[in-house]
Amino acid sequence: MTDPRPRTVLVIGGGASGNAVTVLLRRAGITVDLIEARPDWSVLGSGITLQGNALRVLRELGVWDEVQKTGYTFDSVGLAAPDGTVFHVQQGIRTGGEDLPATAGMQRAQLQEILCEAVRASGASVRLGTTANELTQDGTGVTVRFSDGTEGRYDLVIAADGVNSATRAMIGIGDKPEPTGMAIWRVATHRPKGVERTDLSYGGPCYIAGYCPTSQDTIYAYLVEANRDRTTIDPASYAEEMRRLAAGYGGVWPEIAASIADPAKVNYTWFTRLLVEGSWHRGRVVLIGDAAHSCPPTVAQGAAMSLEDASVLAEMLSDQQDWSSLDTLLTGFYERRIDRVRTVVEASVQLGQWQMDGNRNADMAGLMSRTMSIIKETP
């Protein structure tokens, strides 16, 4: 029997997965309120690498044309020696289908702006600078107490509030992100002439040195090393420290290093791993995106997995007219996603572990190929 009541959803978190699921649910005629803790709806970070399966979801959202116009697309990855000599160029796998490029690079802030505008256009209610302080569930819905003292009643709450999700802990899921042993320095800067794809160097002063074009004029560059106690690194020295590490690399790296001047524009963060097993929901509250799983960017699939979560969950909710058995639906969502997500998380962590172990016999190319073949399948 079809439930005649209007269906209502609260989305907690206005990042990529929260914004995406909001747009798709609104398209299905579902009432959505989105709350975001940040008062300005901004994101941190310099750049983002989006592979084809992420681009497929962005096309589903109706923002692909704008992403393509704003970002930078390419179809190959170069492998280079620390001195900058490119010794192999690998054709990228088009994981989103042959009608989409293998990869697009973007500035994170621009992708967020595009997604936020899509949310506004969807007709969803958006409240910034707002958090959910209390969730009370019963058999028919969830009552939410907000940080501004107001309350709301919803059929479903979708927690897309990131790797340090407060909602995850609130509903009794104790999993927390765990450091993998690596850390990354990132900076956004101008695009040196001739940079038309990602080039990666394994070895030298760092485990990985790489860069990704993010527009006609910009790139983001990154250096991956063993993690260090952050309290021993003065944030005022971030630019100097990244320049010091970059000095061990040739090619366009001297030009990149010379442009690293403002320590406030350098981002330093540890790699972490998270995978919630068993289920991603408790009652009528479900986790998606980084709140349920996150991994190092060694396979460049973190954002893609989050966007896929949004697409799959929205599809299942839109197709199911009767929400009286949400537990079964949300269990099915987890079962549909977990094997694919686990493959990405485990591969991402394994690639980093092999590098930290100095394992020269590791089948990195084989693992990447197997992982990409699975990702190419429709989720």
Side-chain angles (χ1 to χ4, degrees), residues 239-314:
E240 178 183 357
E241 188 63 16
M242 191 169 182
R243 286 197 305 270
R244 182 185 69 79
L245 294 169
Y249 297 94
V252 298
W253 273 101
E255 183 177 346
I256 293 171
S259 72
I260 305 172
D262 184 354
K265 294 183 179 179
V266 177
N267 175 259
Y268 174 78
T269 188
W270 285 13
F271 285 174
T272 60
R273 175 196 189 278
L274 171 71
L275 182 60
V276 176
E277 297 271 13
S279 81
W280 293 346
H281 78 285
R282 297 291 184 273
R284 290 173 173 261
V285 182
V286 62
L287 309 175
I288 67 170
D290 287 352
H293 50 81
S294 68
C295 56
T298 44
V299 184
Q301 276 288 314
M305 290 297 103
S306 294
L307 288 167
E308 283 188 1
D309 282 355
S311 174
V312 171
L313 181 59

Side-chain angles (χ1 to χ4, degrees), residues 85-211:
T85 304
V86 176
F87 58 84
H88 180 69
V89 176
Q90 177 69 45
Q91 196 68 17
I93 297 176
R94 294 194 167 197
T95 55
E98 292 305 314
D99 55 343
L100 287 168
T103 312
M106 284 198 75
Q107 297 177 54
R108 280 185 180 269
Q110 291 188 320
L111 176 61
Q112 176 72 354
E113 184 178 334
I114 290 169
L115 292 175
C116 290
E117 185 55 40
V119 170
R120 293 188 187 97
S122 76
S125 170
V126 178
R127 296 164 66 184
L128 304 180
T130 305
T131 59
N133 288 358
E134 185 179 340
L135 305 174
T136 304
Q137 301 195 53
D138 56 37
T140 61
V142 187
T143 299
V144 182
R145 183 78 173 175
F146 297 105
S147 55
D148 61 5
T150 62
E151 285 189 356
R153 178 76 174 172
Y154 300 92
D155 293 305
L156 175 68
V157 174
I158 299 174
D161 49 345
V163 67
N164 295 309
S165 169
T167 314
R168 186 175 62 233
M170 200 182 303
I171 62 174
I173 297 177
D175 301 69
K176 296 180 180 179
E178 299 177 351
T180 67
M182 284 180 161
I184 187 167
W185 297 85
R186 295 183 177 100
V187 69
T189 186
H190 72 270
R191 184 168 71 95
K193 184 178 180 180
V195 172
E196 298 179 346
R197 61 168 185 256
T198 286
D199 284 336
L200 298 168
S201 295
Y202 294 93
C206 299
Y207 293 120
I208 308 170
Y211 44 77

